[in-house]
Amino acid sequence: MIPRSHPRYESLMKREKIVEGFKKGIVAHAGLIAHGRGEAFDYLLGERTQDFALEAEKAAIAKILTAKNPVISVNGNVTALSAGDVVTLARRTGAKVEVNLFYRTEERIERIVEVFRGYGMEILGKNPDARIPGLEHSRALCSSQGIYSADVVLVPLEDGDRAQALKNMGKFVITIDLNPLSRTARTADITIVDELTRAIKNMISLVDSIDEPQKILSTYSNNEILSKSLEHINKRLEKISEELYSSSGLKT
Ligand code: ATP
Ligand code: MG
């Protein structure tokens, strides 16, 4: 048991969920590595939602609410960390949910489908009947009712190749990725540089506050958001470095 008073309680709880998910066959080996990479960037960002992330979350909700066929793509990590909140977000926005795995095995698909069933939701992707062009075999599989025909896709923790393949299909791609330098972050139309569980919760609470979605979207610039996120990391590291330097006694 991790005591609540632990200064990094939230982060450790998420790690526990990922490890549990791995033991249950929901999270892939590579999912453990991806989580660690996310943790490292969250440390650099300050482990809380920053303004640029909130702005991207607002634009993402505006886009999903105005979409014809919005789809939320889920993988093992997303299921282990946020399945319940993904169900809430899908219900509140009218988005479909589809399981789409980078390392697809039928066992893992089944486990993930079962988790969502536990929340009363039948998700797409178990019996794929379409392919994302330009991707090799199982990575391309998807549902004609879901990702294949979607106009807007929310692909949290996505791989760069697939984000690009979805863009090539003409889709509007929204991602949640703590690494502002990843190919996915640079490819997406909206990049939420925030931790998955915080981002999904923020998005749920924003649903009712969107009055003029077109206005929000017309002033949104993803490159500006990515630039702000890097600037934030820069400034934060500079500040910490200066504090350390001045306490070293070397500065006059
Ligand atoms: P890319 O393929 O886009 O260049 P990558 O190969 O480094 O990126 P992937 O494993 O393909 O990474 O995708 C996982 C991404 O998800 C990583 O960029 C990682 O930082 C991010 N990530 C992992 N856990 C979380 C989380 N809980 N919240 C948000 N982002 C996360
Ligand atoms: Mg990748």
Side-chain angles (χ1 to χ4, degrees), residues 64 69-72 86-87 89-97 121:
I64 292 168
N69 186 20
V71 174
I72 305 172
V86 166
V87 169
L89 182 64
R91 287 190 176 136
R92 296 291 309 281
T93 59
K96 293 171 185 163
V97 178
M121 178 170 270

Side-chain angles (χ1 to χ4, degrees), residues 23-171:
K23 286 183 189 158
K24 287 181 186 156
I26 293 166
V27 170
H29 284 95
L32 300 174
I33 299 167
H35 186 77
R37 191 154 55 256
E39 278 184 340
F41 277 97
D42 208 14
Y43 226 120
L44 295 175
L45 286 156
E47 294 184 308
R48 60 184 178 80
T49 301
Q50 304 294 340
D51 288 350
F52 52 80
L54 204 56
E55 199 181 327
E57 283 154 5
K58 206 169 171 184
I61 285 294
K63 191 69 194 180
I64 292 168
L65 289 174
T66 51
K68 283 198 186 77
N69 186 20
V71 174
I72 305 172
S73 173
V74 296
N75 60 21
N77 286 42
V78 174
T79 304
L81 291 170
S82 279
D85 285 336
V86 166
V87 169
T88 305
L89 182 64
R91 287 190 176 136
R92 296 291 309 281
T93 59
K96 293 171 185 163
V97 178
E98 176 168 341
V99 55
N100 199 247
L101 301 182
F102 195 79
Y103 298 98
R104 185 184 175 101
T105 68
E106 293 317 306
E107 294 76 20
R108 239 157 44 78
I109 294 276
E110 190 51 48
R111 300 270 142 72
I112 291 169
V113 166
E114 272 168 22
V115 171
F116 280 89
R117 217 169 260 155
Y119 287 99
M121 178 170 270
E122 283 300 324
I123 62 171
L124 298 164
K126 187 167 151 41
N127 301 304
D129 59 352
R131 304 178 66 85
I132 302 168
L135 292 178
E136 75 277 27
H137 190 58
S138 72
R139 276 165 206 184
L141 297 175
C142 65
S143 161
S144 58
Q145 301 295 303
I147 288 175
Y148 190 79
S149 60
D151 51 347
V152 175
V153 282
L154 170 60
V155 284
L157 283 51
E158 184 56 279
D159 171 66
D161 286 351
R162 235 181 10 203
Q164 186 60 56
L166 293 168
K167 277 293 296 171
N168 294 347
M169 287 177 86
K171 299 186 189 304

Side-chain angles (χ1 to χ4, degrees), residues 147-201:
I147 288 175
Y148 190 79
S149 60
D151 51 347
V152 175
V153 282
L154 170 60
V155 284
L157 283 51
E158 184 56 279
D159 171 66
D161 286 351
R162 235 181 10 203
Q164 186 60 56
L166 293 168
K167 277 293 296 171
N168 294 347
M169 287 177 86
K171 299 186 189 304
F172 190 100
V173 175
I174 303 169
T175 194
I176 301 170
D177 192 332
L178 280 160
N179 177 4
L181 299 168
S182 78
R183 290 173 308 154
T184 304
R186 307 279 296 268
T187 305
D189 295 287
I190 296 178
T191 304
I192 297 167
V193 185
D194 200 0
E195 198 281 320
L196 174 84
T197 58
R198 292 196 304 261
I200 301 281
K201 282 188 196 301

